[in-house]
Each structure stands twice: as structure tokens, then as C-alpha cells.
Amino acid sequence: MKTIMLGNEAVARGLYEAGCNVVSSYPGTPSTEITENAAKYDEIYCEWAPNEKVAMEVAHGASMAGSRSFCGMKHVGLNVAADPLFTISYTGVTGGMVIAVADDPGMHSSQNEQDSRHYAISAKVPMLEPSDSAEALEFTKQAFEISEKFDTPVILKMCTRVAHSQSIVETSERINRENIPYEKRPDKYIMMPGYARKRHPIVEERTRLLTEFAETSTVNRIEKGTSNKIGIITSSTSYQYVKEVFGDEAYVLKLGMINPMPVKLIKEFAKSVEKLVIVEELDGIIEQHCASLGLETVGKEVFSNMGEFSQNYISEKLEKGEKETKKLDENIPMRPPVLCPGCPHRGLFYILSKLKLRVIGDIGCYTLGAQPPLSAMDSTICMGASISGIHGFNKALGKTSEEGTVAVIGDSTFMHSGMTGLVNIAYNASNSTVIILDNSITGMTGHQQNPTTGYTIKGDPASKVDLEALCKALGINSVRVVDPYNLKETEEAIREELKKKEPSVIISRRPCVLLKYVKPKAPLKVNTDKCKSCKACMKFTCPAISMVDGKAHVDATLCVGCGVCRELCKFDAFETAE
Amino acid sequence: METKNIMIVGVGGQGSLLASKLLGNLLMNKGYDVKVSEVHGMSQRGGSVVTYVRYGDKVYSPIIDKGEADIIISFELLEAARWVEYLKPNGTIISNTQEIMPMPVIAGTAKYPENLVEKISALGINIVAFDALSLAKEAGNAKSVNIVLMGAASRFFDFDDEAWQGAIDRCVPQKFLELNKKAFELGLNVKVD
């Protein structure tokens, strides 16, 4: 059947059609919808794991047991899962195993724009790279075939524009597939030195065989153009931009498999054209491969290794002309993302900003607390880095830092990588104050369940981590819970815990306002007679509050009636609208 | 046919994903090759959002670049102004006149520009601007601004009413169907000079 699907949805469809049985992932933009959509198929066991390393190990366990398995993650998630990846490369698989990794050139929703193709090369694992939804579906199925044929995990590399673009796909039925019977194989699966030394040559031979496969596989194809003046080697979404500009004019070698790359095919293609151009986003990986074959190319000296490409960009770089545009001579204010109206994080960040604390931050919606005018954040690195980071910061500076610095981390991020940092704080006697922002969901990626929410990916009840008990068990004696809507209570708690001569955890607990079970209250309105235009409420940076004709004004379409602005107003000007 | 380019722009949370789903569904049903490119994740949190919809015999790039859009459908006035450069010189803008203040304006570090409709119009751009929020409220829910605008935009496409209604039936959950059909109709009947 023909239908229109998001790239990520198409990968999920590919998992279904390929007979995949076990899926374990951690959410991360732009990869999240693969697993969300896979969870809609009753035939696939699907779960959110606490982090990507766990997810990959789950998938490998399922593969070892003979099932086809999958794990999905964003590019930085593969850093977390890199440890199992490099050794799973040695053990290989029993049932096919596919790992999707979604890069984010341009950093729409990421902290860096690392190029995941390096991982495939260094872990010696094949990598397929689809360029639209149809290929996302097709390549997912092929990835399982390659995985089982060559006894290797296969990485499916997505990027924002493939993952989050919808295009037309042709669906088919799910294959009937029995699990491969389990057999104990210490030589294959126990990677201690004696066995691992024997597996490494197998990996090298596998790469040789995969290179041969790459020469003739249909995933790599030459599209002959009307002129051979220019020949372009490209892949992924760059292929689409190249075709948009050149249509059928230029010769194009589209690589669907980015590791290992073919040798003869590329050499033959190079011979057939006058000038060889490499168009690839981020690093010059195809270019380096061509250089190793002694080919002369035009590549990164023309095209940037930063950000996203587009058709106009390619057109400009290859001198194919510019488009006529009309410009508005006007200063258009930026519209950066903001914490939502009623967001429980806002109350907490308002207090952190008011107390002028140093804030060692983490990854999640609450990173938006860094935006001016709250500006309540000093660093954001990676999942869990807040808790480990504050420990180092305080060890370096001692008492002066301990009384004026906090770490902030979300509930899901704490489950992902925060716990080990907290153990370190307790174990190595750090007088640090950690605030867990428990909004009872994984927020930024669009509301995924996690071990603290009490529900599975399918919405079924699950074991729920008791954060207070967990922190105590990890060795923190001072653990308390505050409601961030109560600014006074929150401020007092932070002041008290900072003064203590021991590590503390404050759990700032209130569910995300976007959760379905959180019902908005009636919006507030401003009594303009009472409003003295002092702008105290404006410091709260709620998108629903602005100054209109010199008085505070509440946008009733945005306000969810959280009422925190009432606590800030000394003149009692905020009232419940009738 | 040459590929047609439609941009749907607005503020995160205004429902651009449903609008693009509706359009994508209609276009696929009409037998076109279609690509729809969306933004998920961080920028959705009240930030400036853009969705690209492209259709034709064969569509390659999933995105629309400067100077390429045939139609820009904007859920908010400042966002219409932000993307003017993406319009083809003879393109059309359909915009809500609702103004949503961005954080730099709320914080007092920037000003919301005045008379944007007139200024866009002065560039020789065909702009249809109206208060879609009031019509959405009239339809029964302020959140149906997205469908009101799709109704207003529908007259700039060569598709009959049946095609649009069919797409609404396929994309909107049953319990919101009546509301959205009313919103679409109110948008469709907006008077244009």
C-alpha cells in the first residue's frame, strides 16, 4: 500500500515488516518517533530503556537469543552506547541487529553536531544511510539481511531531514520468521582476550567481504546524467539537494552504504567524469575515502563541515545561479524557544536567578532556564554532567562554591546518567546541592515514559522508582521535596540546603503542564486599577504575561492558571478571570 | 508539473503539524509525489516553527529555500514577516493578524514591528491577512486557528471542496471533526479584497 510517512515512522514500519521482535531505545531528537511508532505494532516488544547503553545491550541480548532486534538513539546517544558497540562488532549477532542513530546537522535540538559515520568506521560496523522515507523503510529491512548474512550489527544512519520529513512509501506485509535456536558459543560471545583475539581477524575479513558487497549492492547506484562534465558522489539528504539543483544533468553516484565504501565502483565512476565533486554534510568522510584511492576531488575546500546544506547552498557553491528574493527592511525580533506557560521549572529557575546562584546544568527542557532574562545556568554538557560537574567544581573551589552552587537535572536524565554521579558525591564526601527537577515525564523529546513515571511505553502500569528512597540509598542523608509553584517554600529549601555541611538533594516536584492528566485552571486576568506597573511579574518571563498600555496583561489563550504570578505581585493585581 | 512549494509557519504549539498532515494527505491522495518537512524537539517550545510542503511529479529536496515558496501560510503576523525572503517574487502570503509577543519583546530588549501587513504589501507581495483567532473562537475553539487558515489558503489551490473535506475526515479525530469542519468553512469564506 502507498502511504505518506515520516522517515522515523518508515523505519518503524521496516522493523515491523522485517519481523523484528525486540526494540529498546532511549528517546532523543531526531530519533524518538522510530520507537514510538514501533510501539504501535502489537507484534513487536518495545521499551524505553534508562539510557542508550542499556538499550543497545538489551537489543544485543535479544539478537543473541535469536530474535531480530533494534535500538534507536540520537547521535550523542551513540557516545553513551559506544562501549557495547565496539565489542558487539566482534561478537557479531545471531538474529539480525540494527542500530539507528540520528544525526542533527545544524543542531536543531542538540548540544553538538558530531558526525556518527566516524563510529561505523572505527567500530568496523556497516552503516546504511537512507535519503528519504521510502529508503528508510527499505534500508531497515536490508540492514537485517546484511546483519544476518555478514554476522554483524548494522547501523542505520538517519539525520534530521530524513527522520523528520514525510514522503511516500510502499508498505508490505510482515515476514514470518522463527527465532534462530540459541546455542552456547563461548568463542563468539565471551569477549575475554583469548577469544577476542580470534574474533578480530573475523571482523577484518568481514569488512573485506562487505566492501565486495558494496561494489555491486543496489544500495549504491550510479545515475547517469546528460553531461559528464561533473560527477557528484553524495549520500543521505545531500543527494536530494544535489538532484534538486542538477536534475538529470550531472552524473551522480549515490552511496546508500557509507561503511565500508566501494573501491572499484568509485574508481570507475571517477574515470567516467571530468570533475569529481563530493557533497556530504559535516565531515569529509567520502572525501577521505576518495583521497585514499588517489582520486582528485572537489569537497570540503568548497563545502562547509558545519551546519546543514540546502539546494540554494549547493547551487551557489557549484555556481548554478541564485534565486530572486524580496527582503523586508525591518528588524524582526528573534523568537527563541521558551519554557511553556505554567512550566513548573520556571518557578525554580526564577529562584535560582533571584539568589544569583551558579547552576551546573544538564540536558532537557530546563536547559531553557539558561535563556535571558532568567540566565540561570552556567554550563550544559551532556546527560548527567550536572551532578558529576558540581562535585568537581566544589572540590576545586571549596566552601565559597559549595554555598553558592547547585546542580539541576531532570527526572529522566537522572535515571539516564545522574545516579552514578550522585554516588560519587556521597562516596567522595562532596558538600554539593543537587536539585532533581521531577516533572514526571521525559519532556523535551515529546513526553516519553521513564522509570520514574510508573508507566511503560505502551502506557501499561510499571514499577516506579521512588526518587527519595533511591537518593537515600545512594548515600545522601538530606533529601527533601518542594513544589516549585510555591516560590517561598522553594527559596527556603534551597537556602537551607546550601548552608548544610553535607550533600543534599532537593526534589522539585510538579508534573509537566502539557501532560494530559494535568488540567489547566481558569486563566488569570490583571486588575488594571491594582496594577502599579512595577513589572515584578515580568521578571518571571511567563510568555502569557506582557505589558499592554503600561499595565501587566495576561494572554488568556496562553495562561493555564498556575497562579505563580500572584505570589510575585505585591498589589494583588492578578485575579481569576470570570 | 513543476514542484510547488508551500510553507506553514507559526509559533510552536499553534498546530502546524496537523495543518501539514492535512495538506500532505490531500496531495498524496491526488497522486502527487509529496514531501513534508517538520521541526520537532526544542524549537517547538514556543519558538518560531516552520513546515515545508512540496509536491509535484517528482520531489527531491524536503526543504524550501529562499525565493522558492509559492504560498506561505502563517499562523502569526511576525512569523509571516520573518519568512518573506523565502517567497517567490510572485508568491502569496496568507496570514493570521494575531500578534504573539516573542520573549525578547516581553523582556523589553526588542520591539514588535508595526504595520507589518502594509509593509509586506508595499513590497508588491500579495498578502491576505485576517483575524483567524476570532474565527477559530467562533468555530468553538481558539486552537483551531490552524484549520481556519487552511480554509482560507484552500482557495489558492486547484482542489475541489470534496478533496479538502476528505483530507479533514482522514486526519482529524472524530470528536474534533465538526469543530474543524466549521473552522475550515469560516476560513474559506473570509472576504478578500
Side-chain angles (χ1 to χ4, degrees):
Chain A
M1 197 183 80
K2 242 171 100 171
T3 182
I4 182 162
M5 272 189 188
L6 202 62
N8 282 345
E9 196 183 349
V11 173
R13 180 71 200 184
L15 297 176
Y16 169 78
E17 291 180 10
C20 177
N21 285 334
V22 176
V23 169
S24 182
S25 302
Y26 185 79
T29 312
S31 71
T32 313
E33 300 81 5
I34 300 175
T35 303
E36 284 182 323
N37 281 289
K40 292 176 185 165
Y41 297 106
D42 289 338
E43 293 86 345
I44 306 177
Y45 168 79
C46 231
E47 66 177 26
W48 289 126
N51 69 32
E52 296 85 355
K53 176 180 188 292
V54 173
M56 191 178 287
E57 291 157 355
V58 169
H60 186 248
S63 159
M64 200 168 91
S67 270
R68 285 192 165 180
S69 69
F70 171 85
C71 59
M73 61 204 67
K74 69 184 291 171
H75 58 334
V76 287
L78 192 52
N79 300 337
V80 179
D83 196 2
L85 175 69
F86 280 71
T87 304
I88 289 170
S89 170
Y90 277 32
T91 67
V93 303
T94 301
M97 176 176 169
V98 175
I99 300 156
V101 58
D103 282 12
D104 189 15
M107 293 175 273
H108 295 273
S109 203
S110 302
Q111 64 269 43
N112 75 32
E113 56 182 345
Q114 68 187 49
D115 190 329
S116 294
R117 295 177 299 170
H118 291 292
Y119 271 114
I121 295 164
S122 56
K124 303 172 193 266
V125 167
M127 176 182 261
L128 300 181
E129 208 178 16
S131 71
D132 60 15
S133 299
E135 283 189 351
L137 198 167
E138 197 47 47
F139 284 16
T140 302
K141 295 201 289 187
Q142 286 204 36
F144 280 108
E145 299 297 327
I146 293 169
S147 174
E148 285 173 5
K149 187 175 173 195
F150 293 92
D151 189 6
T152 176
V154 176
I155 302 177
L156 184 76
K157 204 219 91 179
M158 304 289 282
C159 68
T160 301
R161 295 301 178 185
V162 177
H164 286 168
S165 293
Q166 300 175 45
S167 56
I168 291 168
V169 301
E170 184 86 46
T171 61
S172 45
E173 292 307 306
R174 180 173 165 96
I175 59 158
N176 260 328
R177 183 187 172 278
E178 296 289 319
N179 279 351
I180 298 164
Y182 177 69
E183 196 188 325
K184 186 169 174 173
R185 290 277 309 275
D187 59 318
K188 177 168 162 64
Y189 282 117
I190 301 178
M191 284 303 97
M192 48 192 199
Y195 289 134
R197 274 183 215 116
K198 294 196 177 95
R199 288 300 298 181
H200 190 179
I202 295 172
V203 171
E204 298 302 331
E205 173 62 8
R206 180 178 78 201
T207 300
R208 194 188 64 75
L209 293 171
L210 279 160
T211 306
E212 270 178 24
F213 170 80
E215 303 288 0
T216 54
S217 167
T218 51
V219 296
N220 299 323
R221 65 167 187 264
I222 290 172
E223 296 175 7
K224 286 187 178 167
T226 51
S227 155
N228 70 346
K229 278 200 164 45
I230 177 168
I232 301 170
I233 306 181
T234 184
S235 71
S236 185
T237 190
S238 296
Y239 162 79
Q240 305 291 355
Y241 305 141
V242 164
K243 290 296 282 188
E244 188 73 32
V245 173
F246 287 90
D248 296 332
E249 186 190 326
Y251 273 52
V252 173
L253 169 54
K254 182 190 178 293
L255 294 177
M257 184 150 142
I258 214 69
N259 187 59
M261 278 182 261
V263 172
K264 284 180 224 144
L265 186 70
I266 289 177
K267 281 184 173 167
E268 275 166 30
F269 180 74
K271 246 188 257 170
S272 71
V273 297
E274 285 175 25
K275 182 164 93 171
L276 193 60
V277 178
I278 316 292
V279 183
E280 56 186 324
E281 283 180 335
L282 301 180
D283 296 334
I285 294 199
I286 302 173
E287 188 175 346
Q288 282 165 20
H289 177 69
C290 290
S292 76
L293 304 179
L295 298 171
E296 210 174 291
T297 61
V298 176
K300 288 296 165 189
E301 74 272 31
V302 174
F303 296 102
S304 177
N305 60 1
M306 292 178 272
E308 285 191 298
F309 292 174
S310 69
Q311 51 268 36
N312 282 4
Y313 180 79
I314 309 267
S315 182
E316 181 198 326
K317 293 292 173 187
L318 295 177
E319 295 170 351
K320 293 286 288 179
E322 280 180 43
K323 292 198 177 75
E324 193 192 334
T325 61
K326 284 183 173 168
K327 269 189 197 155
L328 200 59
D329 183 23
E330 188 75 45
N331 208 350
I332 306 287
M334 295 283 287
R335 192 188 297 276
V338 289
L339 295 170
C340 305
C343 176
H345 300 326
R346 181 176 286 105
L348 182 91
F349 278 99
Y350 173 78
I351 299 298
L352 299 181
S353 176
K354 183 183 164 192
L355 297 178
K356 298 190 168 57
L357 300 177
R358 275 179 297 268
V359 181
I360 313 299
D362 224 298
I363 307 285
C365 284
Y366 49 91
T367 311
L368 294 170
Q371 302 265 44
L374 286 173
S375 307
M377 199 162 287
D378 291 64
S379 70
T380 296
I381 312 295
C382 64
M383 299 287 280
S386 60
I387 303 187
S388 342
I390 192 176
H391 175 71
F393 201 86
N394 285 343
K395 285 292 178 192
L397 295 180
K399 192 170 180 294
T400 51
S401 167
E402 289 164 6
E403 290 175 356
T405 310
V406 295
V408 293
I409 185 165
D411 48 323
S412 189
T413 311
F414 183 67
M415 286 293 108
H416 180 289
S417 296
M419 291 184 281
T420 40
L422 195 61
V423 169
N424 191 43
I425 281 180
Y427 172 53
N428 287 311
S430 173
N431 183 13
S432 294
T433 303
V434 172
I435 303 173
I436 300 176
L437 303 162
D438 179 10
N439 65 348
S440 309
I441 201 72
T442 312
M444 179 58 84
T445 44
H447 283 189
Q448 289 74 34
Q449 303 297 340
N450 70 56
T452 70
T453 66
Y455 293 96
T456 67
I457 189 172
K458 300 221 183 195
D460 298 326
S463 127
K464 182 173 157 66
V465 169
D466 178 337
L467 281 175
E468 295 91 309
L470 172 63
C471 294
K472 288 197 169 167
L474 294 178
I476 309 294
N477 293 314
S478 183
V479 179
R480 65 199 278 181
V481 179
V482 297
D483 176 0
Y485 273 7
N486 187 331
L487 298 179
K488 191 160 166 276
E489 176 198 33
T490 303
E491 181 173 342
E492 273 171 20
I494 294 169
R495 284 181 186 276
E496 284 169 22
E497 294 307 322
L498 281 169
K499 270 188 207 141
K500 284 187 184 164
K501 303 282 178 254
E502 62 173 332
S504 3
V505 170
I506 301 168
I507 300 168
S508 172
R509 177 171 290 148
R510 182 164 275 272
C512 172
V513 285
L514 300 181
L515 283 165
K516 279 204 182 107
Y517 66 80
V518 179
K519 298 289 174 215
K521 290 186 192 155
L524 303 188
K525 65 171 185 182
V526 175
N527 182 331
T528 48
D529 294 333
K530 288 184 177 174
C531 175
K532 303 284 183 251
S533 311
C534 72
K535 295 189 179 174
C537 54
M538 296 300 291
K539 288 188 190 138
F540 194 51
T541 70
C542 173
I545 307 174
S546 58
M547 296 299 285
V548 174
D549 301 328
K551 301 278 183 180
H553 171 79
V554 176
D555 183 335
T557 62
L558 295 174
C559 178
V560 295
C562 75
V564 182
C565 50
R566 273 186 168 156
E567 296 176 54
L568 296 165
C569 183
K570 286 181 186 144
F571 309 102
D572 205 21
F574 288 93
E575 298 173 350
T576 306
E578 291 309 315
Chain B
M1 69 175 258
E2 200 187 329
T3 299
K4 289 272 186 204
N5 299 316
I6 317 297
M7 286 169 71
I8 301 171
V9 305
V11 178
Q14 280 192 301
S16 61
L17 291 188
L18 175 63
S20 62
K21 187 180 173 189
L22 184 76
L23 191 52
N25 188 289
L26 183 153
L27 295 167
M28 192 201 70
N29 228 46
K30 284 277 170 193
Y32 291 108
D33 190 20
V34 188
K35 282 192 177 164
V36 179
S37 193
E38 312 165 344
V39 182
H40 299 226
M42 187 180 248
S43 44
Q44 270 184 296
R45 302 275 172 266
S48 173
V49 293
V50 55
T51 304
Y52 308 108
V53 181
R54 311 190 69 219
Y55 66 102
D57 296 334
K58 174 71 192 164
V59 178
Y60 288 109
S61 172
I63 62 170
I64 296 169
D65 222 327
K66 286 178 183 171
E68 287 189 337
D70 294 277
I71 297 174
I72 296 178
I73 302 166
S74 179
F75 297 177
E76 199 272 350
L77 193 54
L78 183 66
E79 296 311 308
R82 189 184 310 284
W83 298 96
V84 159
E85 226 184 321
Y86 281 71
L87 202 64
K88 268 183 191 165
N90 59 350
T92 301
I93 296 179
I94 296 121
S95 181
N96 188 1
T97 49
Q98 186 187 356
E99 297 181 355
I100 301 175
M101 299 299 140
M103 195 45 69
V105 173
I106 291 176
T109 57
K111 273 217 154 104
Y112 196 104
E114 291 176 342
N115 306 322
L116 282 172
V117 177
E118 290 75 7
K119 285 171 186 166
I120 293 170
S121 208
L123 290 174
I125 289 169
N126 181 24
I127 175 165
V128 176
F130 65 97
D131 180 2
L133 181 60
S134 295
L135 293 179
K137 284 178 185 163
E138 194 184 324
N141 191 330
K143 291 208 160 80
S144 62
V145 158
N146 52 357
I147 303 300
V148 170
L149 280 153
M150 292 313 288
S154 67
R155 78 185 77 179
F156 295 94
F157 293 84
D158 288 331
F159 306 127
D160 55 27
D161 197 47
E162 216 168 288
W164 287 98
Q165 294 300 329
I168 295 173
D169 286 339
R170 289 187 297 271
C171 296
V172 174
Q174 185 66 36
K175 62 175 175 175
F176 299 118
L177 207 53
E178 204 182 324
L179 164 79
N180 281 292
K181 288 202 164 181
K182 190 163 179 206
F184 188 87
E185 197 186 321
L186 286 169
L188 179 64
N189 293 328
V190 161
K191 284 209 173 83
V192 186
D193 302 326

